[in-house]
């Protein structure tokens, strides 16, 4: 995972600290991680953390922001609005699930440490989380509107579709039976069932 | 939530400590929680923790064990093996999802702090987790065997059905639009779609 990519030396140090922070937060949680842990993981001095970040919370905010921008970029890249709703749903659900397997350590920090953010930072991240849900919800709505999805509760359906992707980061193991791509493919198939999409794209019975 | 119910005074103190530990672990994670935090939450002296538990890890193991026994009991209570597979699936998936909403704080500790257990304790909990998956998997298999479910990958399907229940503990809020029972009902409906169950219980096309 490349959290931040910038050419300068300072940016390289910052990026090393962020990578070390992901590992530390994932291993023992935000509250138990010290700035010394982060510095040690990056093979830097404890003071170095404060050269680049105001606080441990700012490190988490940076990681969380990068993580949520990655979710949004993933949707942008996967979603082709000129395609039929079922194809769009498959692409977006598949991409999110595969991402949560591939980057499961980072994704756990991004999804499970939200309560450790300051109120102001949580609000900013909340805007991005709502946007992720809004984009997936728009595809569900498009399928309903064109009569190819059979959905009774669009909001609960969208929550479920996001939820099954997010939870991959909890149960995924590199030693497991399925690759991230296979998990994405499987969840895409299941998403089509959940929304009651007809295989041929025609209107449901 | 009643983690432990026993009549003696010692058991009452133990139960109070366990309840305080759930709150503390959920709020800042196992690693950042001190035995003092647990004692303070139970309005007891720090030494009291060691009267009842050998270590903070033993407190987590006790909570995790109680949590997993609760999952198994829930399945036992919900599952009537004389019913058709689709009804059994609905009952078990619905019960697990509703439970993860109702006891979301406890469920987060039970599902997200496994890596904080000792190897020996993790093995013991692992046996119970496998048993939860085995029971749900047996219902999926029964539906496939009797031709009423249309499932291509029974293992991945079982993982998904468990996963969507577990993740309720992450996103559920008491202020949300759905009650735990409504979430259970919705997930039961979606489980039927995921396994391709016919509404009338007949074999799939």
């Amino acid at each position: 995972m490349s959290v931040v990519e910038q050419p300068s030396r300072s940016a390289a140090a910052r990026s090393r600290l962020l990578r070390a922070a992901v590992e530390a937060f994932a291993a023992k949680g935000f509250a138990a991680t010290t700035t010394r842990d982060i510095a040690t993981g990056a093979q830097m001095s404890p003071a170095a953390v404060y050269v680049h970040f105001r606080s441990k919370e700012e490190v988490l905010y940076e990681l969380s922001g990068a993580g949520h921008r990655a979710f949004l970029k993933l949707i942008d890249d996967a979603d082709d609005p000129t395609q039929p709703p079922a194809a769009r749903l498959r692409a977006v659900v598949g991409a999110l699930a595969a991402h949560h397997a591939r980057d499961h350590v980072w994704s756990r920090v991004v999804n499970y440490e939200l309560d450790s953010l300051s109120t102001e930072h949580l609000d900013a991240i909340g805007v991005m989380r709502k946007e992720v849900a809004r984009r997936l919800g728009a595809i569900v709505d498009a399928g309903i509107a064109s009569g190819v999805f059979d959905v009774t509760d669009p909001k609960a359906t969208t929550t479920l579709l996001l939820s099954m992707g997010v939870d991959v980061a909890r149960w995924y193991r590199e030693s497991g039976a399925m690759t991230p791509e296979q998990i994405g493919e499987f969840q895409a198939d299941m998403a089509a069932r959940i929304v009651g999409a007809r295989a041929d794209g025609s209107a449901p019975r």
Side-chain angles (χ1 to χ4, degrees), chain A:
Chain A
M1 166 202 61
S2 163
V3 172
V4 168
E5 275 177 70
Q6 280 174 42
S8 79
R9 229 168 124 174
S10 162
R14 201 180 155 84
S15 172
R16 239 162 78 202
L17 285 166
L18 287 169
R19 274 195 299 270
V22 167
E23 297 299 327
F25 292 158
K28 35 186 195 169
F30 175 81
T33 299
T34 61
T35 50
R36 179 177 289 271
D37 293 332
I38 298 171
T40 305
Q43 295 179 283
M44 289 162 78
S45 75
V49 175
Y50 293 102
V51 174
H52 299 277
F53 300 97
R54 254 171 305 192
S55 64
K56 186 176 69 159
E57 191 272 341
E58 206 187 78
V59 177
L60 178 64
Y61 178 54
E62 179 89 18
L63 285 174
S64 194
H68 285 87
R69 282 189 297 275
F71 295 160
L72 287 168
K73 181 170 187 319
L74 207 73
I75 297 177
D76 271 345
D77 292 347
D79 189 24
D80 176 356
T82 67
Q83 291 293 306
R88 294 177 64 195
L89 184 77
R90 288 189 55 93
V92 169
V93 167
L96 280 172
H99 174 82
H100 278 81
R102 213 178 294 115
D103 281 339
H104 60 105
V105 179
W106 189 23
S107 296
R108 282 201 300 278
V109 172
V110 166
N111 287 309
Y112 298 151
E113 290 286 6
L114 293 168
D115 290 343
S116 303
L117 291 168
S118 70
T119 311
E120 193 193 336
H121 286 163
L122 181 58
D123 285 350
I125 297 294
V127 171
M128 286 195 271
R129 289 182 82 81
K130 284 210 183 75
E131 180 60 18
V132 170
R134 196 197 61 75
R135 293 199 197 175
L136 190 59
I139 300 174
V140 172
D141 289 344
I144 299 169
S146 59
V148 293
F149 291 176
D150 175 23
V151 169
T152 48
D153 187 334
K155 192 158 174 287
T157 300
T158 304
T159 298
L160 176 60
L161 294 170
L162 283 172
S163 173
M164 62 194 218
V166 166
D167 197 54
V168 170
R170 179 187 59 82
W171 62 260
Y172 175 76
R173 297 290 175 275
E174 266 133 39
S175 58
M178 292 169 99
T179 63
E181 289 64 36
Q182 287 169 331
I183 292 168
E185 188 68 20
F186 179 74
Q187 291 216 352
D189 289 345
M190 295 305 110
R193 289 187 175 200
I194 286 167
V195 299
R198 295 295 301 271
D200 58 3
S202 68
R205 286 162 297 163

